[in-house]
């Protein structure tokens, strides 16, 4: 069902997501606990920083062989920014709902929300839309 390349790409994408995610999560806690920002604002700021790290790793390591570094970075960056905007919105809203409705601590709610957003929203859009393999590249790879 899944070939080795797909599994390897998925695992590499998880390393990229973890790198950006750990930065994002740590910065969120720092901004909320030390600088006393509301966690929704902390998520906005930390999500942006984490996204920059995630994009860089995805662009130059995870999807390098599939989308090629020669692809227009502006197009990929714009698409990635849209995904990040949606992701940050879902994370902020989901964390807020879990905290307000179920009295779940924002740190735990964020982890719960992240797991759904990462696998159900971020990964599919990043793989199949942002760093999509072009038909021309597929023909070259198969020859």
């Amino acid at each position: 069902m899944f070939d080795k390349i797909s599994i390897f790409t998925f695992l590499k994408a998880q390393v990229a997501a973890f790198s950006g995610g750990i930065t994002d999560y740590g910065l969120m806690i720092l901004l909320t606990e030390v600088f006393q920002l509301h966690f929704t604002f902390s998520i906005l700021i930390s999500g942006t920083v984490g996204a920059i790290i995630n994009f860089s790793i995805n662009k130059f390591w995870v999807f390098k062989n599939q989308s090629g570094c020669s692809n227009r970075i502006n197009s990929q960056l714009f698409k990635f920014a849209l995904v990040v905007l949606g992701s940050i919105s879902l994370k902020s809203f989901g964390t807020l709902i879990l905290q307000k409705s179920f009295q779940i601590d924002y740190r735990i709610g964020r982890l719960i929300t992240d797991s759904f957003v990462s696998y159900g929203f971020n990964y599919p859009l990043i793989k199949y839309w942002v760093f999509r393999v072009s038909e021309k590249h597929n023909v070259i790879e198969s020859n």
Side-chain angles (χ1 to χ4, degrees):
M1 181 171 173
F2 296 108
D3 61 6
K4 288 180 186 179
I5 294 172
S6 295
I7 293 170
F8 190 59
T9 299
F10 176 78
L11 293 174
K12 285 171 49 175
Q14 296 319 299
V15 169
F18 181 77
S19 299
I22 200 77
T23 303
D24 179 357
Y25 190 76
L27 187 55
M28 176 198 70
I29 291 175
L30 177 74
L31 293 171
T32 303
E33 300 296 325
V34 175
F35 294 102
Q36 300 297 306
L37 289 177
H38 190 271
F39 66 82
T40 53
F41 294 115
S42 297
I43 291 171
L44 175 65
I45 295 165
S46 65
T48 302
V49 174
I52 292 167
I53 292 168
N54 191 347
F55 177 81
S56 299
I57 295 170
N58 276 314
K59 172 72 178 164
F60 298 107
W61 182 54
V62 178
F63 298 106
K64 177 181 178 183
N65 294 333
Q66 291 152 337
S67 63
C69 283
S70 62
N71 277 8
R72 293 184 341 169
I73 194 167
N74 291 341
S75 172
Q76 289 175 334
L77 194 54
F78 177 73
K79 290 176 181 179
F80 193 83
L82 291 176
V83 172
V84 167
L85 184 62
S87 177
I88 290 172
S89 299
L90 289 169
K91 289 175 185 179
S92 294
F93 186 67
T95 304
L96 184 63
I97 292 295
L98 290 174
Q99 194 265 331
K100 294 290 184 188
S101 299
F102 302 103
Q103 286 72 47
I104 296 175
D105 182 86
Y106 79 94
R107 293 167 288 211
I108 303 298
R110 171 70 191 275
L111 292 173
I112 294 167
T113 303
D114 273 8
S115 63
F116 287 101
V117 172
S118 293
Y119 297 112
F121 183 81
N122 292 354
Y123 180 73
L125 286 174
I126 289 169
K127 178 176 170 103
Y128 297 111
W129 186 51
V130 176
F131 296 108
R132 178 181 57 150
V133 178
S134 67
E135 293 301 318
K136 181 179 175 183
H137 193 267
N138 275 341
V139 171
I140 292 169
E141 286 292 315
S142 65
N143 289 333

